[in-house]
Amino acid sequence: MPPTIHRSGAGDPARTLELLWREPGARPSQRGPRQGLTLDEVVAAAIALADSEGLEALTMRRVAQALGVGAMSLYTYVPGKAELLDLMVDTVLGRVARPELSHLPWRARLETVARHNRDLYERHPWMLAVSTGRPPLGPGVLAKYEHELRAFEGLGLDDVEMDDALTYLLGFVHTSARAAADLRAAQRESVLTDEQWWEVSGPLLARVFDGARYPTATRVGAAAGATHNVPASPDHGYEFGLLRVLDGLGVLIDQRASGREGR
């Protein structure tokens, strides 16, 4: 069975925007049970549940249980799970650090943006399971977008290139974080540590693996294994990849500074 895809923007757009921006129409309904909660408390409970158990555990009933109220009472605050997910996404994106960047060289600015997004996925790994093709257009999302675009100001890029460059950078971070999360999940679910896995697999592999047939894989794999001491190193992959992303963007920035179009 393919993994469940959780999409933002799947609820009622008008109702979701009211909730995101706390418009008067988004106030708790006067009908039905009232438990004295606030919308922020409902969202916080949902985020805590997703942080600890993942989005598969997120249901209106489970959130209600965490708050000590009946499930039906939550519907006086949010119409359903789709709108609640948008509120969760906007809230955690709004919490991403937004330090002043203008005094930093451009590479340091982009490294900071990348690091803060990586930290986001470390704190809220469920965000990796959310497709944001239709992002919740709330204050958190827009404040983060505004802040991160400013990291590209003054580099000679036009507006579309600024958006493209940010998308490229954040896409790398997302992919890197996804790989790290998958590795951590495999380690949690396995009865063996990485060292134990290699102890079992090594002798078996030695009997079937022909180093002469795969000389490059043998040499490179041995070097990487000796360096990282694990089958894969997400931290090394992130640091190496980020430098290459910045190098690539540097080519475009240099082209714009020299007045060349480039391809």
Side-chain angles (χ1 to χ4, degrees):
M1 179 180 296
T4 301
I5 298 176
H6 304 272
R7 301 185 187 279
S8 62
D12 178 350
R15 188 77 173 105
T16 298
L17 282 174
E18 288 180 346
L19 290 163
L20 288 168
W21 291 94
R22 305 302 195 267
E23 288 293 300
R27 292 173 182 166
S29 170
Q30 298 300 316
R31 297 179 180 179
R34 295 291 302 278
Q35 302 294 333
L37 297 173
T38 67
L39 182 58
D40 289 339
E41 288 172 333
V42 173
V43 175
I47 291 172
L49 177 60
D51 286 346
S52 62
E53 301 185 42
L55 284 182
E56 297 305 320
L58 183 71
T59 65
M60 298 294 276
R61 183 174 298 278
R62 288 293 308 279
V63 175
Q65 289 174 348
L67 290 165
V69 300
M72 293 306 297
S73 69
L74 292 191
Y75 292 97
T76 65
Y77 295 91
V78 289
K81 181 178 173 180
E83 292 81 4
L84 179 58
L85 180 60
D86 280 353
L87 287 162
M88 294 164 61
V89 170
D90 189 69
T91 298
V92 298
L93 293 184
R95 293 174 182 168
V96 174
R98 298 193 293 272
E100 178 56 48
L101 300 175
S102 60
H103 64 291
L104 296 174
W106 74 264
R107 288 182 74 103
R109 282 185 253 162
L110 270 56
E111 287 172 354
T112 301
V113 168
R115 183 176 70 254
H116 288 156
N117 277 273
R118 193 182 188 216
D119 291 344
L120 163 72
Y121 293 126
E122 291 283 343
R123 292 192 303 271
H124 308 290
W126 55 270
M127 281 289 295
L128 292 165
V130 180
S131 173
T132 55
R134 290 182 176 178
L137 300 178
V141 167
L142 294 180
K144 179 177 181 290
Y145 184 52
E146 171 72 18
H147 171 76
E148 292 173 344
L149 284 175
R150 289 181 180 178
F152 295 89
E153 284 279 37
L155 301 183
L157 306 182
D158 64 33
D159 289 348
V160 174
E161 289 171 336
M162 287 172 63
D163 180 77
D164 286 342
L166 177 59
T167 300
Y168 178 50
L169 176 65
L170 298 187
F172 160 74
V173 176
H174 185 279
T175 299
S176 176
R178 175 78 268 177
D182 288 346
L183 180 59
R184 288 194 298 270
Q187 291 170 336
R188 286 194 306 269
E189 295 165 7
S190 175
V191 297
L192 302 176
T193 66
D194 286 341
E195 292 77 11
Q196 291 170 331
W197 185 86
W198 276 112
E199 288 176 2
V200 173
S201 301
L204 298 174
L205 184 62
R207 292 204 298 267
V208 299
F209 184 78
D210 182 359
R213 187 176 182 181
Y214 309 105
T216 309
T218 300
R219 186 187 77 245
V220 173
T227 298
H228 306 313
N229 200 34
V230 289
S233 173
D235 288 341
H236 175 81
Y238 171 79
E239 296 297 340
F240 179 87
L242 180 59
L243 289 176
R244 304 293 78 79
V245 169
L246 297 181
D247 289 345
L249 290 173
V251 172
L252 176 63
I253 292 167
D254 288 344
Q255 288 175 344
R256 294 297 173 265
S258 64
R260 291 182 287 120
E261 287 298 317
R263 294 187 62 183

